[in-house]
């Protein structure tokens, strides 16, 4: 079951510049940094209430984030929802005809298992579901 919003992913070209920009807006002190090789991204995230804002910069030209920025520019890339059981949610969504990008969970940031649903199936919103390992 999807229980709450975990994070909002924002695609950025320049991570350091974006951190400075968002610091002015949200006045956070702590930034969590992580490189997820699997996704070809470098991430900086900070909390707003219970939700993480995840600034995401591509680390290579063939990363999905690089392609997204090339096509659409910087901006909201995806919304991620917590699930209490990623495997059963993936099976359930597949059964209801939702197109999955990842049929199996993959490793994501913050030591989570993640999977993406195709935006064609979700009114254009790239949707991620995630569960702590
Ligand atoms: Zn994400």
């Amino acid at each position: 079951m999807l229980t709450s919003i975990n994070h909002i992913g924002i695609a950025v070209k320049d991570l350091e510049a974006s951190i400075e920009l968002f610091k002015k807006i949200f006045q956070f002190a702590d930034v969590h940094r992580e490189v997820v090789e699997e996704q070809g991204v470098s991430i900086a995230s900070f909390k707003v209430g219970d939700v993480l804002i995840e600034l995401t910069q591509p680390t290579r030209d063939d990363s999905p984030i690089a392609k997204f920025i090339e096509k659409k520019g910087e901006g909201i890339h995806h919304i991620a929802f917590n699930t209490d059981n990623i495997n059963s949610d993936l099976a359930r969504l597949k059964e209801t005809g939702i197109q999955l990008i990842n049929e199996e969970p993959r490793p994501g940031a913050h030591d989570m298992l993640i999977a993406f649903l195709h935006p064609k199936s979700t009114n254009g919103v790239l949707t991620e579901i995630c569960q702590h390992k």
Side-chain angles (χ1 to χ4, degrees), residues 12-21 33 42 44 57:
V12 305
K13 290 178 184 168
D14 182 337
L15 197 58
E16 298 312 315
S18 291
I19 291 168
E20 290 314 307
L21 170 66
R33 288 170 184 266
S42 182
Q57 177 196 280

Side-chain angles (χ1 to χ4, degrees), residues 7-9 43 54 56 78-80 114 116 128:
H7 63 269
I8 297 171
I43 285 169
E54 201 170 82
T56 308
H78 66 276
I79 300 178
I114 68 166
F116 284 98
E128 176 186 336

